[in-house]
Amino acid sequence: MSDRNPPADDPQPEAKRGPRGQRGEISNHILTAGRLQFAAHGYAGTTLRAVADHAGVDPTLITYYFGGKQGLFEATLEPPPGLAARVRQASATPLETRGAALINAVLEQWEDETFVTIFRSLILTAAHEPVAMTRLQALFEDTLLATMADGLNDDERKLRASLVSSQVIGVIMARYIWNIGELARIPPRSVARLIAPTLQHYLTEPLPP
Amino acid sequence: MSDRNPPADDPQPEAKRGPRGQRGEISNHILTAGRLQFAAHGYAGTTLRAVADHAGVDPTLITYYFGGKQGLFEATLEPPPGLAARVRQASATPLETRGAALINAVLEQWEDETFVTIFRSLILTAAHEPVAMTRLQALFEDTLLATMADGLNDDERKLRASLVSSQVIGVIMARYIWNIGELARIPPRSVARLIAPTLQHYLTEPLPP
C-alpha cells in the first residue's frame, strides 16, 4: 500500500507529484510522519494537515498516495519489511540452537533504526487504537508460533510460543522502549548470551504440569 | 499529595468541598480521571476542565486538592500503594524460593483492579511524558534491585535485576497490557509455575561470562 501506483486514468500532470524516482521517497516521508502522528495523538487526534506539515508535502499528496487518512493509517500498521523472512530463517535452524537463533534475529532487527521507528510507532499507536493492538497481538502470536518445534500438539505449541513471546517482549520493552536496567546498556551479543538459555528452555525443556 | 490538607487559613466554606468524609473519595475520583486523561492525551493535551468533567466535579476542586495541573500530574505518577511493602515481603523469602515469591507478588498486584488502573496509566503516560518514563524506570530498577541476593557485587546485582525485570515486564505486557497469547488466558497460578523457574535462574544460577 505504501507504494500504491497512481490510477492509470489519473489526469494530474506528473510535475505535481514529483519526478518518478522521488515517489518512493515521498511516500516514505509521508508514512514516517503518519506513524509519528498516530503514535502521539491516535487516529482521531491526527489530521492530514499535520502529517503533511511534518512530511513537508502538500496534503493532496497524502490522498494521492494513500487514498486518505484511513488508507495512510492502514499503511502505517504494516509490519516492518523483512520481519517475516528473518523469523522464517530462525525457524529453519535446528531445534537445539533455536533459542539463540531467535534472540539473535530479534536483536538484529531491533538494532536497525528503520525497524525500530516502525515498531515503536506500532507499540505507541496500539496504546490508543484497538486496530493497532490487534495487529501487534497477531504479529507476536503468528510470528512466534512459526518458530515452535514440529509435532507439538496445538495447546503446547501455543503455550510455548506465549512463554517465548513474554521473554522477547520483556527484552524489547526494557532495552528499546523503556530503556530500563543493564539489558538496555550491554552489547547485543551479551543480551543474546544471557537470554538464549531462557528461550531454549521455553522451546524444548519440560514444562511444569 | 492526593490527601493534601486544606491550608489552615483557607476561607472557603466546608460545603463547597463536600463533607469531611467525602474528601478522600473526591480526590480519588479526580486522580482516576487525571490518570486516564494524561494516559490518553499526555500532559500538554490534558486540560483541568476535561479532568473535572470526567470526575464529575468543579475544576476549582482540582486546584484545591492538587494545587493545579502540575500537582495533579505529580500525584498520578505516585506508585500504587502497597507495591513497596509487597516487594519487601518477597525479598524476605529464602533465596532458593525467591523466584516463585517474586512472580507471585507481581501477579497478586496485577490481579488487583486498582493496581492495574494505576500502573496501566503510568505505562501509557510514559509513552508521552519523559517524567513518567523516568518514574517507570526507577520503579522497575529500584524495586527489583531490592530483591537480589545479598553479597553480590554491584555489577552482577544490576545485571541479575535487569534480567528478572525483563521477564517480569514481558509477563505484565503480554498478560495485562497487550493481552497476547496463552499467558494472558491461563490462571495466575499456572503463570507463576511456568515463570518462577526463569526468575530463579536469573536470581541464583551461574550466568554466561
Side-chain angles (χ1 to χ4, degrees):
Chain A
M1 184 163 283
S2 62
D3 280 312
R4 173 190 286 220
N5 287 320
D9 58 351
D10 186 332
Q12 281 193 290
E14 189 74 8
K16 280 203 184 170
R17 315 184 288 261
R20 188 165 287 271
Q22 291 180 0
R23 285 194 196 176
E25 211 181 313
I26 293 174
S27 78
N28 273 337
H29 279 159
I30 296 172
L31 262 180
T32 304
R35 283 197 187 96
L36 295 175
Q37 291 292 309
F38 290 129
H41 309 296
Y43 185 81
T46 294
T47 61
L48 285 190
R49 162 66 60 191
V51 176
D53 284 353
H54 277 80
V57 303
D58 192 272
T60 57
L61 275 179
I62 304 182
T63 309
Y64 173 70
Y65 280 107
F66 298 98
K69 184 165 143 183
Q70 179 63 34
L72 175 62
F73 183 59
E74 293 281 339
T76 64
L77 299 183
E78 292 296 312
L83 178 63
R86 193 63 190 78
V87 171
R88 264 200 308 279
Q89 206 177 320
S91 339
T93 56
L95 191 55
E96 59 274 22
T97 57
R98 202 172 294 168
L102 248 177
I103 188 65
N104 279 318
V106 169
L107 292 169
E108 197 183 279
Q109 297 269 359
W110 280 87
E111 297 294 322
D112 176 87
E113 216 176 298
T114 310
F115 184 94
V116 172
T117 310
I118 297 179
F119 216 98
R120 190 199 299 265
S121 303
L122 184 57
I123 287 176
L124 296 179
T125 306
H128 311 282
E129 299 300 335
V131 182
M133 180 64 84
T134 306
R135 293 294 179 95
L136 196 63
Q137 288 161 341
L139 208 54
F140 273 101
E141 291 182 2
D142 301 348
T143 319
L144 289 172
L145 266 182
T147 68
M148 295 301 111
D150 295 331
L152 296 176
N153 72 45
D154 221 43
D155 285 352
E156 188 177 347
R157 194 182 174 77
K158 282 190 193 152
L159 183 59
R160 288 186 185 275
S162 178
L163 289 165
V164 167
S165 131
S166 77
Q167 178 62 88
V168 167
I169 289 171
V171 171
I172 292 172
M173 294 305 293
R175 183 175 173 88
Y176 299 104
I177 309 291
W178 291 347
N179 188 28
I180 286 181
E182 292 306 290
L183 277 189
R185 311 190 227 295
I186 60 183
R189 67 173 184 288
S190 306
V191 178
R193 266 204 303 268
L194 290 159
I195 298 295
T198 302
L199 300 191
Q200 193 61 41
H201 172 83
Y202 291 150
L203 283 167
T204 53
E205 286 174 46
L207 298 177
Chain B
M1 185 165 283
S2 63
D3 281 313
R4 173 190 286 220
N5 287 320
D9 58 351
D10 187 331
Q12 279 194 291
E14 188 73 7
K16 278 204 182 168
R17 318 185 286 265
R20 188 163 286 274
Q22 290 181 3
R23 287 194 194 175
E25 210 181 314
I26 292 174
S27 78
N28 272 337
H29 279 157
I30 296 172
L31 263 178
T32 304
R35 284 196 186 95
L36 297 174
Q37 292 292 309
F38 290 128
H41 309 296
Y43 186 80
T46 294
T47 61
L48 286 190
R49 163 65 62 194
V51 175
D53 284 354
H54 277 80
V57 303
D58 191 89
T60 57
L61 275 180
I62 304 183
T63 309
Y64 173 71
Y65 280 107
F66 298 98
K69 184 165 143 183
Q70 180 62 33
L72 176 62
F73 183 60
E74 294 281 338
T76 63
L77 299 184
E78 291 297 311
L83 178 63
R86 194 62 190 79
V87 171
R88 265 199 308 277
Q89 206 178 322
S91 338
T93 56
L95 192 55
E96 60 274 21
T97 56
R98 203 172 294 169
L102 249 178
I103 188 66
N104 278 318
V106 169
L107 293 169
E108 197 184 281
Q109 298 270 358
W110 280 87
E111 297 294 322
D112 176 86
E113 215 176 296
T114 309
F115 183 95
V116 172
T117 310
I118 297 179
F119 217 98
R120 190 198 300 264
S121 302
L122 184 57
I123 288 175
L124 297 179
T125 305
H128 311 282
E129 300 301 336
V131 183
M133 179 65 84
T134 306
R135 295 293 181 95
L136 197 63
Q137 288 162 340
L139 208 54
F140 273 102
E141 291 182 1
D142 302 347
T143 322
L144 289 172
L145 267 181
T147 68
M148 295 300 110
D150 296 330
L152 296 176
N153 72 46
D154 221 43
D155 285 353
E156 187 177 347
R157 193 182 174 78
K158 283 190 191 152
L159 183 58
R160 288 185 184 274
S162 179
L163 289 165
V164 167
S165 133
S166 77
Q167 178 63 87
V168 167
I169 290 171
V171 171
I172 292 172
M173 294 305 293
R175 182 173 174 90
Y176 299 104
I177 309 292
W178 291 347
N179 190 24
I180 286 180
E182 291 307 289
L183 276 189
R185 310 190 229 293
I186 60 183
R189 65 173 186 286
S190 306
V191 178
R193 265 203 303 269
L194 290 158
I195 298 295
T198 301
L199 300 192
Q200 194 60 42
H201 172 82
Y202 291 151
L203 283 168
T204 52
E205 285 174 45
L207 298 176

Coordinates of all heavy atoms in Angstrom, one line a residue, chain A residues 25-94:
Chain A
E25 N 10.4 7.9 -2.2 CA 10.9 8.7 -1.1 C 9.8 9.6 -0.5 O 9.7 9.7 0.7 CB 12.0 9.6 -1.7 CG 13.1 10.0 -0.8 CD 14.1 10.9 -1.4 OE1 14.5 10.6 -2.6 OE2 14.4 11.9 -0.8
I26 N 9.0 10.1 -1.4 CA 7.9 11.0 -0.9 C 6.9 10.2 0.0 O 6.5 10.5 1.1 CB 7.1 11.7 -2.0 CG1 8.0 12.7 -2.7 CG2 5.8 12.4 -1.5 CD1 7.5 13.3 -3.9
S27 N 6.5 9.0 -0.6 CA 5.5 8.2 0.2 C 6.2 7.7 1.5 O 5.5 7.6 2.5 CB 4.9 7.1 -0.6 OG 5.8 6.0 -0.8
N28 N 7.5 7.5 1.5 CA 8.1 7.1 2.8 C 8.1 8.2 3.8 O 7.9 8.0 5.0 CB 9.6 6.6 2.5 CG 9.6 5.2 2.2 OD1 8.7 4.4 2.6 ND2 10.7 4.8 1.5
H29 N 8.4 9.5 3.3 CA 8.3 10.6 4.2 C 6.9 10.7 4.8 O 6.8 11.0 6.0 CB 8.6 11.9 3.5 CG 10.1 12.1 3.3 ND1 10.6 13.0 2.3 CD2 11.1 11.6 3.9 CE1 11.9 13.0 2.4 NE2 12.3 12.2 3.4
I30 N 5.9 10.5 4.0 CA 4.5 10.6 4.5 C 4.2 9.5 5.5 O 3.7 9.8 6.6 CB 3.5 10.6 3.3 CG1 3.7 11.7 2.4 CG2 2.1 10.5 3.8 CD1 2.9 11.7 1.1
L31 N 4.7 8.3 5.2 CA 4.5 7.2 6.1 C 5.1 7.4 7.5 O 4.5 7.2 8.5 CB 5.1 5.9 5.5 CG 4.2 5.0 4.8 CD1 5.0 3.8 4.3 CD2 3.1 4.5 5.7
T32 N 6.4 7.9 7.4 CA 7.1 8.2 8.7 C 6.4 9.2 9.5 O 6.2 9.1 10.7 CB 8.5 8.6 8.4 OG1 9.2 7.6 7.6 CG2 9.4 8.8 9.6
A33 N 6.0 10.3 8.8 CA 5.3 11.4 9.5 C 3.9 10.9 10.1 O 3.6 11.2 11.2 CB 5.0 12.6 8.6
G34 N 3.3 10.0 9.3 CA 2.0 9.5 9.8 C 2.2 8.6 11.0 O 1.4 8.7 12.0
R35 N 3.2 7.7 11.0 CA 3.5 6.9 12.1 C 3.7 7.7 13.4 O 3.1 7.4 14.4 CB 4.8 6.1 11.9 CG 4.6 4.9 11.0 CD 5.7 3.9 11.0 NE 5.5 2.9 10.0 CZ 6.1 3.0 8.8 NH1 6.9 3.9 8.5 NH2 5.8 2.1 7.9
L36 N 4.5 8.8 13.3 CA 4.8 9.6 14.5 C 3.5 10.3 15.0 O 3.2 10.3 16.2 CB 5.9 10.6 14.2 CG 7.2 10.0 13.8 CD1 8.2 11.1 13.4 CD2 7.8 9.2 15.0
Q37 N 2.7 10.8 14.0 CA 1.4 11.5 14.4 C 0.4 10.5 15.1 O -0.1 10.8 16.1 CB 0.8 12.2 13.2 CG 1.6 13.3 12.7 CD 1.6 14.5 13.7 OE1 0.6 14.9 14.2 NE2 2.8 15.0 14.0
F38 N 0.2 9.3 14.4 CA -0.7 8.4 15.0 C -0.2 7.9 16.4 O -1.0 7.7 17.3 CB -0.9 7.2 14.1 CG -1.7 7.5 12.8 CD1 -1.2 7.2 11.5 CD2 -2.9 8.2 12.9 CE1 -1.9 7.5 10.4 CE2 -3.6 8.5 11.7 CZ -3.1 8.2 10.5
A39 N 1.1 7.7 16.5 CA 1.7 7.2 17.8 C 1.4 8.3 18.9 O 1.1 7.9 20.0 CB 3.1 6.9 17.6
A40 N 1.6 9.5 18.5 CA 1.5 10.6 19.5 C 0.0 10.9 19.8 O -0.3 11.2 21.0 CB 2.2 11.8 19.1
H41 N -0.8 10.9 18.8 CA -2.2 11.5 19.0 C -3.3 10.6 18.7 O -4.5 10.9 18.9 CB -2.3 12.7 18.1 CG -1.2 13.7 18.2 ND1 -1.0 14.4 19.4 CD2 -0.2 14.1 17.4 CE1 0.1 15.2 19.3 NE2 0.6 15.0 18.0
G42 N -3.0 9.3 18.3 CA -4.1 8.4 18.0 C -4.7 8.8 16.6 O -4.4 9.8 16.0
Y43 N -5.7 8.0 16.2 CA -6.3 8.2 14.9 C -7.1 9.5 14.9 O -6.9 10.3 14.0 CB -7.2 7.0 14.5 CG -7.7 7.1 13.1 CD1 -7.0 6.8 12.0 CD2 -9.0 7.5 12.9 CE1 -7.5 6.9 10.7 CE2 -9.5 7.7 11.6 CZ -8.7 7.3 10.5 OH -9.3 7.4 9.2
A44 N -8.0 9.6 15.8 CA -8.9 10.8 15.9 C -8.1 12.1 16.0 O -8.5 13.1 15.5 CB -9.9 10.6 17.0
G45 N -7.0 12.0 16.8 CA -6.3 13.3 17.0 C -5.3 13.6 15.9 O -4.6 14.6 16.1
T46 N -5.3 12.9 14.9 CA -4.3 13.1 13.8 C -5.0 13.7 12.6 O -6.1 13.2 12.2 CB -3.6 11.8 13.4 OG1 -2.8 11.4 14.4 CG2 -2.7 12.0 12.1
T47 N -4.5 14.8 12.0 CA -5.1 15.4 10.8 C -4.1 15.2 9.7 O -2.9 15.2 9.9 CB -5.3 16.9 11.0 OG1 -4.1 17.6 11.2 CG2 -6.2 17.2 12.2
L48 N -4.7 15.1 8.5 CA -3.8 15.0 7.3 C -2.9 16.3 7.2 O -1.8 16.2 6.7 CB -4.7 14.9 6.0 CG -5.3 13.5 5.8 CD1 -5.9 13.4 4.4 CD2 -4.3 12.4 6.0
R49 N -3.5 17.4 7.6 CA -2.7 18.7 7.5 C -1.4 18.5 8.4 O -0.3 18.9 7.9 CB -3.6 19.8 8.0 CG -2.9 21.1 8.5 CD -2.2 21.8 7.3 NE -3.1 22.2 6.2 CZ -2.7 22.7 5.1 NH1 -1.4 22.8 4.8 NH2 -3.6 23.0 4.1
A50 N -1.6 18.0 9.6 CA -0.4 17.8 10.5 C 0.6 16.9 9.9 O 1.8 17.1 9.9 CB -0.8 17.4 11.9
V51 N 0.1 15.8 9.3 CA 1.0 14.8 8.7 C 1.8 15.4 7.6 O 3.0 15.3 7.4 CB 0.3 13.5 8.2 CG1 1.2 12.6 7.5 CG2 -0.4 12.8 9.4
A52 N 1.0 16.2 6.7 CA 1.6 16.8 5.6 C 2.7 17.8 6.0 O 3.8 17.9 5.4 CB 0.5 17.5 4.7
D53 N 2.4 18.6 7.0 CA 3.3 19.6 7.5 C 4.6 18.9 8.0 O 5.7 19.3 7.7 CB 2.8 20.4 8.7 CG 1.8 21.4 8.3 OD1 1.6 21.6 7.0 OD2 1.1 22.1 9.1
H54 N 4.5 17.8 8.7 CA 5.6 17.1 9.2 C 6.4 16.4 8.1 O 7.6 16.3 8.2 CB 5.3 16.0 10.3 CG 5.1 16.6 11.6 ND1 4.0 17.3 12.1 CD2 6.0 16.7 12.7 CE1 4.2 17.7 13.3 NE2 5.4 17.4 13.7
A55 N 5.7 16.0 7.1 CA 6.4 15.4 5.9 C 6.9 16.4 5.0 O 7.7 16.1 4.1 CB 5.4 14.4 5.2
G56 N 6.5 17.7 5.1 CA 6.9 18.7 4.2 C 6.4 18.5 2.8 O 7.0 18.8 1.8
V57 N 5.1 18.0 2.7 CA 4.5 17.9 1.4 C 3.1 18.5 1.5 O 2.6 18.9 2.5 CB 4.3 16.4 1.1 CG1 5.6 15.7 1.1 CG2 3.3 15.7 2.0
D58 N 2.5 18.6 0.3 CA 1.1 19.1 0.2 C 0.1 18.0 0.6 O 0.3 16.9 0.3 CB 0.8 19.6 -1.2 CG -0.4 20.4 -1.3 OD1 -1.5 19.7 -1.5 OD2 -0.4 21.6 -1.2
P59 N -0.9 18.4 1.4 CA -1.9 17.3 1.9 C -2.5 16.5 0.8 O -2.8 15.3 1.0 CB -2.9 18.2 2.6 CG -2.3 19.4 3.0 CD -1.2 19.7 2.0
T60 N -2.6 17.1 -0.4 CA -3.3 16.4 -1.5 C -2.4 15.1 -1.9 O -2.9 14.2 -2.4 CB -3.4 17.2 -2.8 OG1 -2.2 17.7 -3.2 CG2 -4.4 18.4 -2.5
L61 N -1.1 15.2 -1.6 CA -0.2 14.1 -2.0 C -0.5 12.9 -1.1 O -0.3 11.7 -1.5 CB 1.3 14.5 -1.8 CG 1.9 15.2 -3.0 CD1 3.4 15.5 -2.7 CD2 1.8 14.3 -4.2
I62 N -1.0 13.1 0.1 CA -1.3 12.0 1.0 C -2.5 11.3 0.5 O -2.6 10.0 0.4 CB -1.6 12.5 2.5 CG1 -0.4 13.3 3.0 CG2 -2.0 11.3 3.4 CD1 -0.6 13.8 4.4
T63 N -3.5 12.1 0.0 CA -4.7 11.4 -0.6 C -4.3 10.7 -1.9 O -4.8 9.6 -2.2 CB -5.7 12.5 -0.9 OG1 -5.9 13.3 0.3 CG2 -7.1 11.9 -1.4
Y64 N -3.4 11.3 -2.6 CA -2.9 10.7 -3.9 C -2.2 9.4 -3.6 O -2.6 8.4 -4.3 CB -2.0 11.7 -4.6 CG -1.3 11.1 -5.8 CD1 -2.1 10.8 -6.9 CD2 0.0 10.7 -5.8 CE1 -1.5 10.2 -8.0 CE2 0.6 10.1 -6.9 CZ -0.2 9.8 -8.0 OH 0.4 9.2 -9.0
Y65 N -1.3 9.3 -2.6 CA -0.6 8.1 -2.4 C -1.3 7.1 -1.6 O -1.2 5.9 -1.8 CB 0.7 8.4 -1.7 CG 1.8 8.9 -2.6 CD1 2.2 10.2 -2.6 CD2 2.5 8.0 -3.5 CE1 3.2 10.7 -3.5 CE2 3.4 8.5 -4.4 CZ 3.8 9.8 -4.3 OH 4.8 10.3 -5.2
F66 N -2.2 7.5 -0.6 CA -2.7 6.6 0.3 C -4.3 6.6 0.3 O -4.9 5.9 1.1 CB -2.2 6.9 1.7 CG -0.7 6.7 1.9 CD1 0.1 7.8 1.8 CD2 -0.2 5.4 2.0 CE1 1.5 7.7 1.9 CE2 1.2 5.3 2.1 CZ 2.0 6.4 2.0
G67 N -4.9 7.4 -0.5 CA -6.3 7.5 -0.6 C -7.0 8.2 0.5 O -8.2 8.3 0.6
G68 N -6.2 8.7 1.5 CA -6.8 9.5 2.6 C -6.3 9.0 4.0 O -5.3 8.2 4.0
K69 N -6.9 9.5 5.0 CA -6.4 9.2 6.4 C -6.5 7.7 6.7 O -5.5 7.1 7.3 CB -7.2 10.0 7.4 CG -6.7 9.9 8.8 CD -7.3 11.1 9.6 CE -7.7 10.6 11.0 NZ -8.3 11.7 11.8
Q70 N -7.6 7.1 6.4 CA -7.8 5.7 6.7 C -6.7 4.8 6.0 O -6.1 3.9 6.6 CB -9.2 5.2 6.4 CG -9.5 3.7 6.6 CD -9.4 3.4 8.1 OE1 -9.7 4.2 9.0 NE2 -8.9 2.2 8.4
G71 N -6.5 5.1 4.7 CA -5.5 4.4 3.9 C -4.1 4.6 4.5 O -3.3 3.6 4.6
L72 N -3.8 5.8 4.9 CA -2.5 6.1 5.5 C -2.3 5.3 6.8 O -1.3 4.7 7.0 CB -2.3 7.6 5.7 CG -1.0 8.0 6.4 CD1 0.2 7.6 5.6 CD2 -1.0 9.5 6.8
F73 N -3.4 5.3 7.6 CA -3.3 4.6 8.9 C -3.1 3.1 8.6 O -2.2 2.5 9.3 CB -4.7 4.8 9.6 CG -4.7 4.2 11.0 CD1 -3.8 4.5 11.9 CD2 -5.7 3.2 11.3 CE1 -3.8 4.0 13.2 CE2 -5.7 2.6 12.6 CZ -4.8 3.0 13.5
E74 N -3.8 2.5 7.7 CA -3.6 1.1 7.4 C -2.2 0.8 7.0 O -1.5 -0.1 7.4 CB -4.5 0.7 6.2 CG -6.0 0.7 6.5 CD -6.4 -0.5 7.3 OE1 -5.7 -1.6 7.2 OE2 -7.5 -0.5 8.0
A75 N -1.6 1.7 6.2 CA -0.3 1.5 5.7 C 0.8 1.6 6.8 O 1.7 0.9 6.8 CB 0.1 2.6 4.6
T76 N 0.5 2.4 7.8 CA 1.4 2.6 8.9 C 1.4 1.3 9.8 O 2.3 1.1 10.6 CB 1.1 3.8 9.8 OG1 -0.1 3.6 10.5 CG2 1.2 5.1 9.1
L77 N 0.3 0.5 9.7 CA 0.2 -0.7 10.6 C 0.9 -1.9 9.9 O 1.0 -3.0 10.6 CB -1.2 -1.0 10.9 CG -2.0 0.1 11.6 CD1 -3.4 -0.4 11.9 CD2 -1.3 0.5 12.9
E78 N 1.3 -1.8 8.7 CA 2.0 -2.9 8.1 C 3.3 -3.3 8.9 O 4.0 -2.4 9.3 CB 2.4 -2.5 6.6 CG 1.3 -2.4 5.7 CD 0.5 -3.7 5.5 OE1 1.2 -4.7 5.2 OE2 -0.7 -3.7 5.6
P79 N 3.5 -4.6 9.1 CA 4.8 -4.9 9.8 C 6.0 -4.5 9.0 O 6.0 -4.4 7.8 CB 4.7 -6.4 9.9 CG 3.7 -6.9 8.9 CD 2.8 -5.7 8.7
P80 N 7.1 -4.2 9.8 CA 8.3 -3.8 9.1 C 8.8 -4.8 8.1 O 8.6 -6.0 8.3 CB 9.4 -3.8 10.2 CG 8.6 -3.7 11.5 CD 7.3 -4.4 11.2
P81 N 9.3 -4.4 6.9 CA 9.7 -5.3 5.9 C 10.8 -6.2 6.4 O 11.6 -5.7 7.2 CB 10.1 -4.4 4.7 CG 10.5 -3.1 5.4 CD 9.6 -3.0 6.6
G82 N 10.9 -7.4 6.0 CA 12.0 -8.3 6.4 C 11.7 -9.1 7.6 O 12.4 -10.1 7.9
L83 N 10.7 -8.7 8.4 CA 10.5 -9.4 9.7 C 10.1 -10.8 9.4 O 10.7 -11.7 10.1 CB 9.3 -8.7 10.5 CG 8.9 -9.3 11.8 CD1 10.0 -9.3 12.8 CD2 7.7 -8.6 12.4
A84 N 9.1 -11.1 8.6 CA 8.7 -12.4 8.3 C 9.8 -13.3 7.8 O 10.0 -14.4 8.3 CB 7.5 -12.4 7.3
A85 N 10.6 -12.8 6.9 CA 11.7 -13.6 6.3 C 12.7 -13.9 7.4 O 13.2 -15.0 7.4 CB 12.4 -12.8 5.2
R86 N 13.0 -12.9 8.2 CA 14.1 -13.2 9.3 C 13.6 -14.2 10.3 O 14.4 -15.0 10.8 CB 14.4 -11.8 10.0 CG 15.6 -11.8 10.8 CD 16.8 -12.1 10.0 NE 18.0 -12.3 10.8 CZ 18.3 -13.4 11.4 NH1 17.5 -14.5 11.4 NH2 19.4 -13.6 12.2
V87 N 12.3 -14.2 10.6 CA 11.8 -15.2 11.5 C 11.7 -16.6 10.9 O 12.1 -17.6 11.5 CB 10.4 -14.8 12.0 CG1 9.7 -15.9 12.8 CG2 10.4 -13.5 12.9
R88 N 11.4 -16.6 9.6 CA 11.4 -17.9 8.9 C 12.8 -18.5 8.9 O 13.0 -19.7 9.1 CB 11.0 -17.7 7.4 CG 9.5 -18.0 7.2 CD 9.2 -18.3 5.7 NE 9.8 -17.3 4.8 CZ 9.2 -16.1 4.5 NH1 8.0 -15.8 5.1 NH2 9.7 -15.2 3.7
Q89 N 13.8 -17.7 8.8 CA 15.2 -18.1 8.8 C 15.5 -18.7 10.2 O 16.1 -19.8 10.3 CB 16.1 -16.9 8.6 CG 17.4 -17.1 8.0 CD 18.1 -15.7 7.7 OE1 17.5 -14.7 7.3 NE2 19.4 -15.7 8.0
A90 N 15.1 -18.0 11.3 CA 15.4 -18.5 12.6 C 14.6 -19.9 12.8 O 15.2 -20.8 13.5 CB 14.9 -17.5 13.7
S91 N 13.4 -20.0 12.3 CA 12.7 -21.2 12.5 C 13.3 -22.4 11.7 O 13.0 -23.6 12.0 CB 11.2 -21.1 12.0 OG 10.8 -19.8 11.9
A92 N 14.2 -22.1 10.8 CA 14.8 -23.2 10.0 C 16.0 -23.7 10.7 O 16.6 -24.7 10.2 CB 15.1 -22.7 8.6
T93 N 16.5 -23.1 11.7 CA 17.7 -23.6 12.4 C 17.3 -24.8 13.2 O 16.2 -25.0 13.6 CB 18.3 -22.5 13.3 OG1 17.3 -22.1 14.3 CG2 18.8 -21.3 12.6
P94 N 18.3 -25.7 13.5 CA 18.0 -26.9 14.3 C 17.4 -26.5 15.7 O 17.8 -25.5 16.3 CB 19.4 -27.6 14.5 CG 20.3 -27.0 13.5 CD 19.7 -25.6 13.2

